[in-house]
């Protein structure tokens, strides 16, 4: 094999070895022994770094990449992408990235993209991804632009994590400022969560005299998709359940072991339901449960103050009635013997007083 021109590190990498063994004579690049010095130099650079690097070369933009970039190809594309045209490998995003390749080839100027959203199908499903990358021109021995170098890093986890934390923060703020009933709070939750980038639909169930009731939902179709009895099961067991893309979790409204409410969230289909997704939904559930407990405490305080005010009003009324009765008893003379005549003159101490005056 023509491996003398490869960097020593390339020979020890999986994609370096795969590149040496690949039948390049079946591609527009031709046998590896015929590659010109510019192409060989680009390949040496590609396999001498662990940073994700890909370069495309020739009229079909034939792909060559290292181990770092292979991870970005998912579980399916990595099996056949080596030596394939870039527009075939990335057919689903070619409308997004194809013009960037054309720009570099035509202008010789590099591009720069930060956290660019791309809907890829690299592992058998349409996946929401984000990348920061730069395309740069590559020239052959004659100085003609014949390829593009792509140095990239995937930022999907960082972008999605920031977005989810922002959602949880917004939820905390909205629920802390809430001063209405628990029904209003449930509506606030579904309005804020339902239809967001991470939660496709949402519903809140609250305790009732008969067990549990639907308080609010962002999509009635969500309820029809739930297996019969699942919400009641989560409520009574106090344990969350994942059903396909839907997360059903208990809300301990009163803060103890008694059954409380239930929060239902259906995740968007373009992100895997992994540990990160589950953690986000657990944080969301915790925020809603805390807000409901605070709302219940607030309502209990209002009920207490209302009852206390009513009791004070009853006591004040009793005091007024007692005062009037005392006054009347003072103004009504006691029975006297028939042969005894008594003359009494009552002078109040003030115009606004009926009792407590001077005789």
């Amino acid at each position: 094999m023509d491996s003398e021109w490869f960097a020593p590190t390339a020979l020890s990498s999986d994609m370096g070895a795969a590149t040496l063994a690949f039948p390049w004579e079946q591609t527009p690049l031709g046998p590896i022994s015929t590659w010109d010095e510019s192409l060989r130099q680009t390949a040496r650079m590609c396999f001498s770094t662990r940073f994700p690097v890909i370069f495309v070369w020739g009229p079909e933009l034939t792909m060559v990449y290292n181990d770092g970039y292979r991870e970005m190809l998912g579980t399916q594309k990595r099996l056949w992408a080596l030596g394939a045209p870039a527009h075939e490998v990335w057919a689903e995003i070619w409308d997004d990235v194809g013009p960037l390749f054309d720009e570099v080839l035509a202008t010789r100027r590099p591009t720069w993209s930060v956290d660019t959203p791309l809907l890829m199908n690299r592992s058998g499903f349409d996946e929401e991804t984000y990348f920061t990358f730069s395309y740069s021109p590559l020239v052959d021995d004659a100085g003609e632009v014949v390829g593009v170098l792509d140095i990239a890093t995937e930022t999907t986890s960082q972008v999605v994590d920031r977005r989810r934390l922002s959602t949880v923060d917004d939820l905390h703020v909205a629920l802390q400022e809430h001063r209405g009933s628990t029904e209003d709070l449930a509506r606030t939750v579904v309005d804020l969560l339902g239809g967001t980038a991470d939660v496709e639909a949402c519903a809140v169930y609250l305790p009732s005299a008969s067990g549990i009731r639907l308080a609010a939902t962002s999509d009635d179709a969500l309820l029809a998709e739930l297996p019969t009895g699942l919400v009641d099961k989560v409520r009574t067991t106090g344990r969350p359940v994942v059903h396909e893309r839907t997360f059903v979790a208990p809300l301990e409204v009163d803060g103890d072991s008694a059954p409380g409410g239930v929060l239902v969230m259906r995740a968007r289909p373009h992100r895997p339901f992994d540990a990160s997704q589950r953690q986000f939904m657990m944080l969301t559930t915790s925020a809603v449960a805390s807000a409901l407990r605070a709302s219940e405490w607030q309502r209990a305080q209002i009920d207490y103050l209302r009852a206390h005010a009513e009791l004070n009003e009853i006591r004040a009324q009793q005091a007024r009635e007692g005062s009037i009765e005392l006054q009347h008893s003072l103004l009504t003379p006691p029975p006297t013997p028939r042969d005894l005549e008594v003359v009494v003159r009552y002078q109040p101490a003030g115009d606004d007083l009926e009792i407590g005056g001077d005789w």
Side-chain angles (χ1 to χ4, degrees):
M1 291 185 182
D2 297 290
S3 60
E4 295 82 4
W5 54 269
F6 257 41
T9 53
L11 299 177
S12 62
S13 70
D14 291 340
M15 290 312 302
T19 300
L20 281 175
F22 192 81
W24 293 103
E25 63 275 7
Q26 299 176 16
T27 74
L29 300 188
I32 197 170
S33 60
T34 65
W35 288 9
D36 65 20
E37 183 56 32
S38 297
L39 178 53
R40 293 185 178 193
Q41 179 63 30
T42 302
R44 281 195 290 267
M45 182 276 301
C46 177
F47 295 114
S48 65
T49 178
R50 297 180 62 180
F51 200 86
V53 172
I54 175 182
F55 69 89
V56 297
W57 194 279
E60 293 294 322
L61 299 182
T62 305
M63 288 178 53
V64 183
Y65 49 88
N66 64 6
D67 289 5
Y69 190 87
R70 182 184 57 175
E71 299 304 312
M72 298 181 182
L73 292 167
T75 60
Q76 294 187 358
K77 290 185 184 294
R78 69 174 61 179
L79 302 177
W80 58 274
L82 182 63
H87 67 87
E88 291 183 4
V89 176
W90 296 119
E92 71 274 17
I93 61 170
W94 198 246
D95 287 344
D96 299 305
V97 300
L100 298 178
F101 282 97
D102 293 338
E103 178 184 343
V104 172
L105 293 170
T107 67
R108 293 176 173 250
R109 291 194 298 268
T111 67
W112 177 246
S113 303
V114 178
D115 293 339
T116 299
L118 297 170
L119 190 62
M120 293 181 173
N121 193 316
R122 56 184 178 173
S123 299
F125 67 97
D126 289 340
E127 180 183 358
E128 174 194 11
T129 65
Y130 296 85
F131 288 85
T132 293
F133 57 92
S134 175
Y135 292 168
S136 304
L138 296 173
V139 298
D140 60 12
D141 290 351
E144 297 296 327
V145 177
V146 293
V148 175
L149 174 69
D150 174 17
I151 300 178
T153 181
E154 183 168 0
T155 59
T156 303
S157 295
Q158 296 92 315
V159 172
V160 172
D161 286 347
R162 287 197 303 266
R163 182 180 70 204
R164 288 173 176 171
L165 286 176
S166 178
T167 298
V168 174
D169 287 343
D170 291 343
L171 184 64
H172 272 297
V173 171
L175 297 183
Q176 286 176 357
E177 294 177 349
H178 179 78
R179 294 296 181 269
S181 64
T182 53
E183 287 74 13
D184 291 338
L185 187 144
R187 171 52 57 186
T188 298
V189 170
V190 299
D191 287 346
L192 196 149
L193 289 179
T196 58
D198 291 289
V199 180
E200 189 174 50
C202 176
V204 176
Y205 290 81
L206 294 177
S208 67
S210 59
I212 199 168
R213 59 184 172 81
L214 176 66
T217 181
S218 64
D219 186 357
D220 292 335
L222 171 64
L223 312 180
E225 296 171 1
L226 294 176
T228 303
L230 180 59
V231 172
D232 284 329
K233 176 184 177 181
V234 170
R235 170 180 173 268
T236 55
T237 63
R239 292 191 295 269
V241 172
V242 176
H243 173 71
E244 296 178 350
R245 293 184 294 111
T246 301
F247 187 76
V248 186
L251 297 169
E252 295 182 355
V253 175
D254 56 6
D256 57 27
S257 59
V262 172
L263 176 63
V264 181
M265 292 176 285
R266 184 175 64 211
R268 291 282 184 183
H270 296 152
R271 290 298 306 153
F273 204 107
D274 53 10
S276 178
Q277 177 75 276
R278 184 182 179 93
Q279 183 182 31
F280 161 68
M281 291 191 166
M282 288 295 293
L283 286 173
T284 302
T285 301
S286 177
V288 175
S290 297
L292 285 172
R293 285 195 293 270
S295 179
E296 289 292 322
W297 180 86
Q298 183 184 49
R299 187 173 67 178
Q301 292 297 307
I302 293 174
D303 290 343
Y304 169 78
L305 293 175
R306 183 179 293 111
H308 188 68
E310 291 175 354
L311 179 60
N312 286 341
E313 179 61 27
I314 292 173
R315 288 174 176 172
Q317 180 64 25
Q318 291 174 341
R320 286 193 296 270
E321 293 174 354
S323 297
I324 293 174
E325 184 177 349
L326 175 60
Q327 166 197 293
H328 289 163
S329 67
L330 291 175
L331 294 176
T332 303
T336 57
R338 295 190 178 188
D339 58 348
L340 178 65
E341 294 183 1
V342 178
V343 177
V344 177
R345 181 175 182 273
Y346 172 73
Q347 177 65 48
D351 293 339
D352 57 342
L353 299 177
E354 296 187 25
I355 62 173
D358 299 324
W359 294 92

